[in-house]
Amino acid sequence: MTDTKVYLLDGGTLVIDGFHAFWNRGPAGELRFPCYAVLIEHKDGRYIFDTGYDHAHVMRVLPFEKPLQTPEQTIPGALAKIGLKPTDINYVINSHYHFDHCGGNKHLSKACTVCHAKELEASTKHQPFEHLGYSDMTFAPQLAKQAGKALPPDEPALDMYTPKFETITGDQEIAKGLWLLETPGHTAGHYSLMVELKNRRPMLFTADACYSQKNMDMNCISSFHLDPTASLKSMHRLKALAEKHNAELFYSHDPDSFPNYVKAPGYYS
Ligand SMILES: [Zn+2]
């Protein structure tokens, strides 16, 4: 049996305003922040938790977020750096379906997709103010077509991408030591991920239930949410979970913490 390894795949950066990053607190002004995917090599298979954003999508739909992404920061490019191909991935887990967390799904053509049942539903039946968040539907081309949602006009390969979905609810240990923990509020069916490892403390990936250490310290959520009260409660849940399991929190979009994380080809084990 091989021990579980965790690789962080750098996915480039985006820009939002400080008032969005720290809801009603700010300060205002451009804030550039990282996006990344988490690859877990587990004895049951290779899992990817979130897949970052697609540069062409952001340029087409949200160019004001000023994406900076090199070829090595795409999912195929990042996997190549550790000697893997997109078809080597067995499972994609999506914390939620905002464009900066599912943009690389379409490359992982052999993977089964795991997500919260409520989140898959929300991706096509969301509130009007969530429109831009759920603007990249390439993770589920068939679903997008059924719902009349736009797909990129110039990507015929999407017709061949027909992922299988496994939807779940509640907290679930989906494989030994891989825990999906419900943290709704940012979106309807948001999951955070805890990974137990042999040689270190558990890693608790907050996803967008908490963008950064500063959000946690200020007790301040981001402005992108379905339900702010639930969102704040989920952030408090993450803090309590980290204490209970002696886990280290890894934030989704933290320009201060990210430089200190070990990035692929390095890994945690
Ligand atoms: Zn999000």
Side-chain angles (χ1 to χ4, degrees), residues 96 98 100-101 186-187 208 211:
H96 64 304
H98 282 171
D100 54 330
H101 293 259
H186 178 70
T187 60
D208 284 358
Y211 279 17

XYZ file of all heavy atoms in Angstrom, residues 96 98 100-101 186-187 208 211, ligand 1:
76
model
N -17.592 23.298 -5.259
C -18.790 23.976 -5.763
C -18.522 24.307 -7.227
O -17.409 24.081 -7.719
C -19.131 25.217 -4.932
C -18.113 26.329 -4.968
N -16.785 26.146 -4.617
C -18.217 27.644 -5.323
C -16.140 27.288 -4.741
N -16.977 28.219 -5.188
N -18.567 27.264 -9.010
C -18.117 28.566 -9.498
C -17.008 28.347 -10.526
O -16.227 27.402 -10.424
C -17.638 29.444 -8.344
C -18.775 30.063 -7.568
N -18.589 30.735 -6.390
C -20.102 30.093 -7.822
C -19.766 31.182 -5.948
N -20.704 30.792 -6.795
N -14.174 29.421 -11.167
C -12.757 29.310 -10.807
C -12.460 28.040 -10.006
O -11.367 27.896 -9.452
C -12.283 30.557 -10.052
C -13.131 30.878 -8.838
O -14.335 30.570 -8.840
O -12.586 31.440 -7.872
N -13.416 27.122 -9.978
C -13.219 25.844 -9.292
C -13.522 24.646 -10.181
O -13.312 23.503 -9.771
C -14.077 25.788 -8.014
C -13.616 26.771 -6.993
N -12.839 26.447 -5.896
C -13.767 28.133 -6.942
C -12.549 27.530 -5.214
N -13.096 28.582 -5.816
N -21.735 29.989 1.007
C -21.116 30.587 -0.191
C -21.947 30.147 -1.397
O -22.293 30.965 -2.255
C -19.668 30.121 -0.292
C -18.919 30.611 -1.492
N -18.544 31.913 -1.665
C -18.492 29.953 -2.601
C -17.912 32.044 -2.820
N -17.867 30.871 -3.417
N -22.247 28.840 -1.444
C -23.201 28.308 -2.426
C -24.085 27.280 -1.712
O -23.857 26.955 -0.546
C -22.486 27.622 -3.606
O -21.698 26.531 -3.093
C -21.601 28.596 -4.373
N -14.137 27.759 -0.867
C -14.568 29.149 -0.722
C -15.409 29.420 0.535
O -15.983 30.503 0.678
C -15.304 29.615 -1.984
C -14.334 29.910 -3.120
O -13.119 29.780 -2.907
O -14.796 30.270 -4.220
N -11.885 32.312 2.158
C -10.868 32.627 1.152
C -9.454 32.662 1.726
O -8.500 32.298 1.068
C -11.126 34.019 0.545
C -12.160 34.110 -0.540
C -13.104 33.113 -0.753
C -12.205 35.228 -1.365
C -14.063 33.229 -1.756
C -13.152 35.353 -2.378
C -14.076 34.351 -2.563
O -15.006 34.478 -3.556
Zn -16.779 30.383 -5.179
